[in-house]
Amino acid sequence: MSSLATEVKARYHIAVSTRFVERLFATEGAVTAELVYQRALNENFKDITDVGTLPHGVASQVSGTFTSPVVLQVNSSRDATQPLRPCADSSEEEMAFAAALQKKTNTRLLRLVLSDGHAEVPGIELSTLPVFSGIPIPGEKLLVKEGAEVKNGAVIMTENCVVPLGGEVQQLKREFLAMRNRSEVPYQTSVGLEAAPRFQPLRVGCAASGGVPNPQAVAAGRGRGSGNNWGRSGGRGYRGGRGSGARQHRPSSRGGRS
């Protein structure tokens, strides 16, 4: 059993467990490496693998490459150019147009979450790839070839480094379709508002805020004198500064000191 599991890993790049091979022997009788591979495409990898095949810490690498090919399972998928949920006031025409955009191959950018059954890594398109006929359904399998690039913890999917293999996992497919149906129906919030409000650009100014502009600072007035007035310290100068006149005392009517 272990030798057959080793052969499947060497030829098809899937690390199936010996328990999975034994289960096939019990149900199928004669089992070959190709049969194990075909059955594995329709199984959830977390149920049929004992060890992971992704490079250790690949999701935290700033830059790197795959040193060997590996078959990964699509755990989640979406078109990154489309909103996760429609706006509350979107018309039927706008929602139909958004749905059509997801099917157009010249505008779609996929963001996948790929797994070997034990670890996960994002996979992204930087340009629309013809190898994907649409948005993959979770449970489908994808061959990532040797030399595929990893940038900032994500596999950069190109036409030369990824090959869709098909496959189907009923549980993941049902969950994906149920989630998509829920996202197409506006959800009810605790305050009675449905879905997300339409984006409104911020307008800076009196018309948007309803207020008045801040008044300009008023310059301080001139001083009261030029420095030669009677007083202990002279008059006040420009903008409240002290005058430059000499100190003098007011003459006393009793003939006191001047």
Side-chain angles (χ1 to χ4, degrees):
M1 301 298 177
S2 60
S3 61
L4 188 56
T6 303
E7 182 183 356
V8 172
K9 183 177 181 181
R11 291 179 57 185
Y12 300 105
H13 318 296
I14 304 176
V16 296
S17 64
T18 55
R19 296 192 309 275
F20 177 63
V21 178
E22 291 172 355
R23 191 179 75 188
L24 291 179
F25 263 109
T27 57
E28 301 288 343
V31 176
T32 63
E34 183 179 0
L35 178 63
V36 174
Y37 164 71
Q38 293 294 337
R39 294 292 187 271
L41 293 181
N42 295 317
E43 296 284 343
N44 194 333
F45 272 5
K46 72 176 184 179
D47 298 330
I48 65 170
T49 59
D50 286 336
V51 295
T53 53
L54 278 171
H56 178 70
V58 63
S60 60
Q61 290 182 3
V62 176
S63 179
T65 57
F66 277 69
T67 57
S68 60
V70 59
V71 173
L72 301 175
Q73 176 177 281
V74 178
N75 276 3
S76 69
S77 59
R78 62 178 294 258
D79 182 356
T81 66
Q82 299 301 311
L84 291 174
R85 191 178 294 275
C87 294
D89 52 355
S90 296
S91 65
E92 293 183 1
E93 181 180 356
E94 289 174 323
M95 288 190 289
F97 181 70
L101 281 178
Q102 291 197 0
K103 300 177 182 179
K104 291 179 64 176
T105 58
N106 60 342
T107 59
R108 183 207 66 224
L109 290 177
L110 290 176
R111 188 187 189 282
L112 310 179
V113 175
L114 305 173
S115 172
D116 61 359
H118 300 269
E120 291 184 337
V121 62
I124 59 174
E125 283 182 321
L126 298 184
S127 61
T128 304
L129 302 180
V131 294
F132 294 105
S133 58
I135 299 177
I137 296 177
E140 294 183 11
K141 308 304 188 289
L142 187 71
L143 171 64
V144 180
K145 296 182 179 180
E146 179 181 354
E149 287 189 297
V150 177
K151 297 292 185 181
N152 296 324
V155 179
I156 306 301
M157 298 188 297
T158 64
E159 193 168 359
N160 296 326
C161 75
V162 294
V163 178
L165 301 176
E168 182 179 289
V169 179
Q170 287 296 328
Q171 178 185 358
L172 296 179
K173 183 177 181 179
R174 286 194 299 267
E175 292 174 355
F176 172 75
L177 295 177
M179 182 178 65
R180 188 172 66 177
N181 291 336
R182 287 196 302 269
S183 67
E184 292 174 353
V185 178
Y187 67 94
Q188 193 76 17
T189 64
S190 59
V191 294
L193 299 177
E194 292 184 349
R198 181 183 292 276
F199 172 77
Q200 293 291 342
L202 175 65
R203 294 184 176 86
V204 180
C206 300
S209 62
V212 295
N214 293 330
Q216 298 292 332
V218 180
R222 291 179 177 271
R224 290 182 296 172
S226 60
N228 201 24
N229 293 338
W230 296 106
R232 297 182 61 186
S233 301
R236 295 281 182 180
Y238 180 69
R239 291 186 183 271
R242 290 190 177 276
S244 59
R247 292 188 178 182
Q248 297 183 7
H249 295 279
R250 187 183 299 274
S252 174
S253 60
R254 296 182 180 181
R257 186 177 57 181
S258 60

